[in-house]
Amino acid sequence: MPLVNNKVGDDCTVGTDQALADGKALVDSLIKVVACYRQLASCVGGCTDSLQLRDELRQTREKAQMLAMSICSHLTSHLRNRSLPEGQRKEMELLWVAFSSSLELLHVDMCKVFYVAEIFALANTDALVKTGVQGGGSEMVARALSLPDLNQTQSPTLPAELESQERSTMEREISQIDRMIDDMEMKVNVLRWMVEPHGPQRADPLSSTDSSSLGLLSVDEEQPGPRPLCQRSQIFVLLLMSAVVLVSATLSICIVFFS
Amino acid sequence: MHIRCEDEIKLRKGGTSRCAFYFTHVCLFFYFVCIPSVCACCFVCVCVCVCVCVCLSPLQMEKVIVAMQDPDMGMKMRNQRLLITVIPHAMTGRDMITWLIQKYCICEEEALHISGMLVRYGYVYPLKEPRSLVLRPDESPYRFQTPYFWTSTRWPASELDYAIYLAKKNIRKQGELMEYEKERYSVLHKRINHTWDFVVMQAREQLRASKQRRKADRIVLECQEQAYWLINRPQPGAHNVLDMGLERPNNLSARVTLNQNSDFYKSEIETCRRALGRNRVKSSICLESFVKYSEQYQNHDPIMQGCLPSNPWISDDTAHWTMNLQIVPIPSRLRVERWSFSFMELLNDIMGRREFMIYLEKEFSAENLCFWQACEDIRHGESSRIVEKVEEIYKNFLTPGAARWVNVDSKTMDKTLKGIRHPHRFVMDDAQMHIYFLMKKDSYPRYLKSDLYKNLLAKAIVPQETKKSVFPFMRRQRHSSPSPAQGDGPAGADSAAGPHV
């Protein structure tokens, strides 16, 4: 394989394999972070909304943006490399499609969070909607930032100026993502409909142990009707057994006494 | 024997015109029933809508929701008890209605309506039966939807989102999706196939992320998401609130917006008033008369009853057409019977009209029929000759002391005389109608009872079913359908008056 002379890098086939692996890892972490961000975003405006939540959102968002920037430069550089072998190109295109979809999701989530945060300013906690959620999202953030434990720097009160600063930062970041998406479309010409995915086509539920364990978590608690009956029957059986045990015990004692 | 082409065409046209005749009658019946009732309904609906004029925009609904959150004056919250888990922040339908009534001082009906809207637009979701988005004013539990999932037109739910949701559900429920969800899943799979890897991965990641939460929160988040998708991708057949757009007012309770000028509304009111004044017939009565009509004419319909002597299209015997020409020496029995169905039938048949004229001459009231005929001639005749025809009619029938003076009442006479000064095609309509009803009420029933008619009926031909038996005991069917009109076979035909040639 002749040495590829391109402007952006000096990789040969081995190098591109490595690049592919890197890209894949980056995209996977971006997907993870986007999922966590969404989980956190669904709590904004609800009763668990707090400065802590906003802070967590900010951290997750920053991580996502960092990842997005690196993936963008990584993929753009490789996809513009005309001498990329066909198989590698296909893989890169797949990654690119996944990346642009995650960016879409992230963008929408950020816009929604921005909008809801404007309506539900934290100064007035009375107006927060009672959604029934009780826990916080610190585990989520930990997962997103891939840290075993998060040192919570408690900042209970955020002065009003910082809050507005936060808002303008968000605005800037949203427009940044916007521009990134536009730039990608301009610079890299990937025909999405030509991209063929591989992997499980229908998200088969029993394809891996992971998903089966997820399946067992299904919450079908909306019909509590028949269950109390079972509980009652269990208690009844228990009572019966204990009665039988008692009777047998007394009988044996009697036998011992009278024999 | 050949029938001349023109006669053949006329006979055939006669057949089709009969069908058209029945058809127009049906149309007329339904015209008098449907259109006025529809107009009346619209009018009534507009009136009803003006009464229950509640129109909520999304912004207003959000304000109501925020007002409900007030810790002192807001909604009373209860706990939802599932097996082991207790989830707070549930409320009953009855509580919601009571709160709305108290807070906004409205009647129960309006409170029901507003709370129904809150549920339909996804600000509140039911806990017991999540798929039925109605507010029951009883103990059924509801919960507020998180603002992230509030319906918004700025960020409509995308296909990608829906695909991820369905993928999550598929994994969680191990393939047990509802039918329509399965269909949509496969459609999406085809449509956004290029990003399917991402969909599956994101679905898995979201499930893993939600595992980090406690059980109660997981349940709540799942319910929230389900409610969101039930509204943004409703079940087939369910009412889709997003179709009408959130910004546009709800059709069912629109405040009547007056943005037209008063002339438009004046004409609208006039139209509705006229529609209400139109004669309406109950559809049951209308259909009864239609059934009676069909029963009456059934025997006369060659398609339904078969035609005697034989169906010319099948047996190549044109006797049927010959016997039913416009002018025959002796008409067929069916034809004469039809004259007794209605006066119009009699007048439309040339032979019938002739017979009727003979009868009227006997009664010395033939001028009525002549007048009517002359008026018909004007209505359907050439425009160039209208003026002279009107002059003639006036001379012959309307001048006092005319040879054939017709008895028209004074009001109609005045109107007609005034109209004659500027004659047009329909100037004689009122007088003609008057004379028509006169004949119909008076002369026509008497004609039907007269000997003239009865003799004609007795003389009328009942054609025999032609049979040409090759073998003495076999009878070849000469027409497509058996003719019950014939009655009891050859014996009956013989006893009746045989065909006169």
Side-chain angles (χ1 to χ4, degrees), chain A residues 109-201:
Chain A
D109 282 344
M110 278 168 67
C111 289
K112 277 194 187 175
V113 166
F114 180 66
Y115 176 69
V116 174
E118 237 179 84
I119 300 177
F120 292 95
L122 284 174
N124 178 19
T125 47
D126 288 343
L128 294 174
V129 180
K130 299 186 177 69
T131 51
V133 178
Q134 292 163 288
S138 36
E139 303 91 0
M140 213 77 57
V141 187
R143 185 186 166 78
L145 303 180
S146 307
L147 297 169
D149 191 1
L150 208 57
N151 326 3
Q152 295 293 337
T153 49
Q154 298 288 340
S155 47
T157 50
L158 203 65
E161 307 91 58
L162 275 179
E163 204 169 315
S164 61
Q165 212 178 51
E166 170 81 5
R167 274 214 292 276
S168 54
T169 328
M170 259 210 98
E171 272 179 325
R172 248 185 308 123
E173 287 179 2
I174 291 175
S175 54
Q176 204 174 32
I177 298 259
D178 247 336
R179 265 181 283 127
M180 201 190 298
I181 295 176
D182 284 335
D183 279 345
M184 278 167 59
E185 297 290 330
M186 292 292 134
K187 287 193 192 141
V188 179
N189 182 21
V190 171
L191 303 170
R192 281 173 217 248
W193 52 92
M194 301 281 286
V195 172
E196 276 177 33
H198 41 68
Q201 292 301 327

Side-chain angles (χ1 to χ4, degrees), chain B residues 61-337:
Chain B
M61 285 194 268
E62 284 166 18
K63 287 201 181 114
V64 171
I65 296 283
V66 167
M68 283 182 175
Q69 309 305 323
D70 194 294
D72 308 313
M73 301 293 293
M75 281 291 304
K76 182 169 134 211
M77 294 278 127
R78 298 161 197 262
N79 285 340
Q80 180 196 15
R81 254 165 235 293
L82 299 172
L83 265 207
I84 337 162
T85 23
V86 173
I87 306 179
H89 303 154
M91 53 204 174
T92 61
R94 172 80 1 224
D95 283 346
M96 267 174 75
I97 302 219
T98 326
W99 185 87
L100 282 168
I101 293 176
Q102 272 176 358
K103 169 92 179 170
Y104 296 108
C105 305
I106 49 180
C107 61
E108 175 150 355
E109 199 187 334
E110 276 202 71
L112 259 171
H113 179 77
I114 295 179
S115 42
M117 282 192 81
L118 288 177
V119 175
R120 272 206 312 277
Y121 280 87
Y123 291 95
V124 167
Y125 60 93
L127 298 173
K128 267 279 161 59
E129 284 166 40
R131 291 185 186 273
S132 122
L133 294 170
V134 287
L135 186 109
R136 286 178 227 280
D138 51 20
E139 300 302 309
S140 16
Y142 293 85
R143 189 171 279 138
F144 291 113
Q145 178 69 284
T146 179
Y148 177 80
F149 279 136
W150 280 356
T151 344
S152 155
T153 44
R154 284 163 74 176
W155 301 289
S158 67
E159 303 271 345
L160 190 64
D161 274 333
Y162 193 45
I164 295 174
Y165 166 67
L166 285 177
K168 273 204 293 195
K169 205 166 176 189
N170 201 23
I171 296 176
R172 243 188 26 239
K173 295 231 167 134
Q174 312 193 5
E176 292 294 312
L177 293 176
M178 305 205 62
E179 273 316 307
Y180 74 95
E181 284 176 339
K182 281 189 187 147
E183 267 174 53
R184 289 184 189 170
Y185 194 48
S186 20
V187 165
L188 281 170
H189 178 59
K190 266 191 236 130
R191 212 181 286 169
I192 51 171
N193 193 31
H194 56 275
T195 186
W196 204 252
D197 277 348
F198 169 74
V199 166
V200 172
M201 279 201 293
Q202 174 73 204
R204 290 215 177 104
E205 283 301 326
Q206 285 191 8
L207 282 172
R208 282 188 202 120
S210 68
K211 233 168 59 164
Q212 306 289 327
R213 291 201 175 262
R214 37 213 298 246
K215 187 151 194 204
D217 290 348
R218 248 198 331 260
I219 298 175
V220 171
L221 290 171
E222 269 168 31
C223 292
Q224 284 174 352
E225 211 180 353
Q226 185 184 41
Y228 175 72
W229 287 111
L230 277 172
I231 296 203
N232 282 278
R233 295 281 190 271
Q235 274 173 274
H239 178 59
N240 188 358
V241 287
L242 297 179
D243 261 345
M244 300 194 250
L246 286 180
E247 323 304 324
R248 272 179 276 151
N250 194 342
N251 259 354
L252 303 167
S253 61
R255 181 169 275 146
V256 179
T257 43
L258 298 171
N259 51 9
Q260 305 263 16
N261 62 358
S262 63
D263 287 330
F264 173 75
Y265 287 108
K266 278 194 192 124
S267 61
E268 285 278 293
I269 293 173
E270 198 45 51
T271 320
C272 290
R273 201 171 282 146
R274 262 184 280 136
L276 281 173
R278 247 176 245 150
N279 215 4
R280 273 182 299 283
V281 181
K282 249 165 75 160
S283 56
S284 56
I285 296 179
C286 179
L287 289 167
E288 267 172 31
S289 48
F290 180 59
V291 166
K292 253 193 280 191
Y293 179 89
S294 310
E295 276 170 5
Q296 193 180 43
Y297 278 89
Q298 181 169 24
N299 288 346
H300 300 256
D301 192 333
I303 297 176
M304 304 299 272
Q305 282 300 107
C307 53
L308 301 170
S310 63
N311 189 336
W313 295 109
I314 294 177
S315 60
D316 290 330
D317 175 19
T318 50
H320 174 75
W321 288 336
T322 328
M323 274 191 259
N324 284 305
L325 283 171
Q326 286 225 321
I327 301 186
V328 274
I330 302 177
S332 68
R333 192 194 189 103
L334 283 178
R335 187 174 174 178
V336 179
E337 272 175 20

Side-chain angles (χ1 to χ4, degrees), chain A residues 92-120:
Chain A
M92 285 282 182
E93 284 181 356
L94 262 177
L95 287 179
W96 194 88
V97 164
F99 173 53
S100 63
S101 312
S102 344
L103 268 194
E104 263 176 55
L105 289 184
L106 184 67
H107 184 249
V108 169
D109 282 344
M110 278 168 67
C111 289
K112 277 194 187 175
V113 166
F114 180 66
Y115 176 69
V116 174
E118 237 179 84
I119 300 177
F120 292 95

Side-chain angles (χ1 to χ4, degrees), chain B residues 395-412:
Chain B
K395 224 172 36 182
N396 288 336
F397 297 100
L398 295 177
T399 350
R404 296 190 280 177
W405 186 80
V406 285
N407 190 3
V408 184
D409 66 300
S410 52
K411 204 169 87 172
T412 324

Side-chain angles (χ1 to χ4, degrees), chain A residues 70-81:
Chain A
S70 45
I71 296 176
C72 186
S73 49
H74 182 90
L75 284 180
T76 327
S77 63
H78 279 94
L79 281 170
R80 291 180 72 171
N81 175 10

